[in-house]
Amino acid sequence: MSCILNIETSTSVCSVAIINDAECIFNKEDHSGPNHAVKLGVYVDEALSYIDNHAIPLDYVAVSGGPGSYTGLRIGVSMAKGICYGRGVKLISVPTLELLAVPVLLHHEEIEDNALIVPMLDARRMEVYAEVFDRGLKPVRDIHSDIVDADTYREYLDRGPVYFFGNGAAKCMDVIAHPNAHLIDGIEPLAKNMYPLAAKRIAEEKFEDVAYYVPFYLKDFVAKKPKPLL
């Protein structure tokens, strides 16, 4: 039994949740973003006040570890590290693409047992960060930065049904154009869905070094020269 503070900032959505003894007892989400720099501190303060007022000891902080937005990941991880230092608790990193798959596997019973699932995060234009899993969340193909065309996932689509979801999926469906390709709308990485993945890492004692941990960006950040004001 444990209390986990979950922080998710890998996309434009900012969310914070507390899972205590496998039950979500606090949840805040902002879908109007990206507003992480404004909203995250407020949500975390409210979450910590909630557990303190209810005399619930905090055991772990789980944070979405990427890939995703550079800025969002940095903000989330910095906040998570600060809490871990201040409260003396352990840090858990939850892979963002696995997190996207949690609500799909839990709430979409129509997915066939032999189907593959492909969570996708938008990387602009026709590029996505994607990973291929089976129905048991076992990786079939590791994370890639894919420039999507008709052949990108053909080897999997020719075998059977493949379900695509996440904020990078909808833009790809017309290009993929295969009868075995299916889109699941409305799937976002949210803090309230972190528990199964965080609990697995706790059981495996897979914790991060708070001093040296950095998120998984997948691609190097390239700074752009700002446009002139005049």
Side-chain angles (χ1 to χ4, degrees):
M1 298 298 185
S2 57
C3 178
I4 310 171
L5 174 64
N6 302 293
I7 296 172
E8 215 303 316
T9 56
S10 64
T11 65
S12 61
V13 179
C14 178
S15 62
V16 172
I18 300 168
I19 307 296
N20 187 49
D21 295 344
E23 179 184 358
C24 185
I25 60 173
F26 176 96
N27 184 57
K28 285 291 182 75
E29 299 173 7
D30 177 67
H31 296 256
S32 64
N35 295 316
H36 308 319
V38 176
K39 296 291 187 179
L40 182 60
V42 175
Y43 290 170
V44 167
D45 281 345
E46 292 178 2
L48 294 176
S49 294
Y50 183 93
I51 61 172
D52 290 344
N53 291 337
H54 289 79
I56 301 171
L58 179 65
D59 299 298
Y60 308 98
V61 176
V63 66
S64 187
S69 158
Y70 291 100
T71 302
L73 290 171
R74 286 186 178 121
I75 291 172
V77 168
S78 296
M79 179 66 73
K81 285 185 170 187
I83 300 166
C84 289
Y85 274 122
R87 299 255 173 164
V89 299
K90 294 180 178 180
L91 178 65
I92 302 166
S93 176
V94 173
T96 307
L97 293 175
E98 290 186 29
L99 176 58
L100 270 172
V102 169
V104 171
L105 294 176
L106 290 179
H107 305 302
H108 287 266
E109 297 179 357
E110 75 278 9
I111 296 178
E112 301 86 344
D113 289 341
N114 67 330
L116 298 177
I117 59 172
V118 183
M120 290 178 159
L121 288 171
D122 190 5
R124 300 185 179 179
R125 298 186 177 89
M126 287 309 296
E127 188 174 7
V128 296
Y129 302 140
E131 189 168 3
V132 182
F133 296 96
D134 67 14
R135 195 71 171 74
L137 203 57
K138 180 180 178 181
V140 175
R141 194 211 69 177
D142 290 338
I143 299 174
H144 286 179
S145 176
D146 294 329
I147 298 175
V148 179
D149 60 30
D151 295 320
T152 305
Y153 306 104
R154 184 173 295 279
E155 64 174 297
Y156 309 109
L157 290 160
D158 286 344
R159 298 180 202 167
V162 181
Y163 289 81
F164 299 88
F165 50 90
N167 67 5
K171 71 179 184 180
C172 300
M173 298 310 291
D174 288 342
V175 175
I176 293 171
H178 193 286
N180 280 334
H182 306 280
L183 173 67
I184 301 178
D185 280 321
I187 303 298
E188 296 173 310
L190 297 173
K192 66 183 180 182
N193 293 327
M194 283 186 174
Y195 177 73
L197 302 175
K200 181 175 184 289
R201 281 156 178 77
I202 292 170
E204 296 170 345
E205 297 187 349
K206 187 176 180 180
F207 305 112
E208 306 299 333
D209 187 313
V210 176
Y212 296 103
Y213 173 71
V214 293
F216 175 53
Y217 296 117
L218 187 57
K219 295 197 301 183
D220 293 333
F221 176 69
V222 179
K224 296 182 179 179
K225 184 177 180 180
K227 295 180 180 180
L229 297 177
L230 298 177

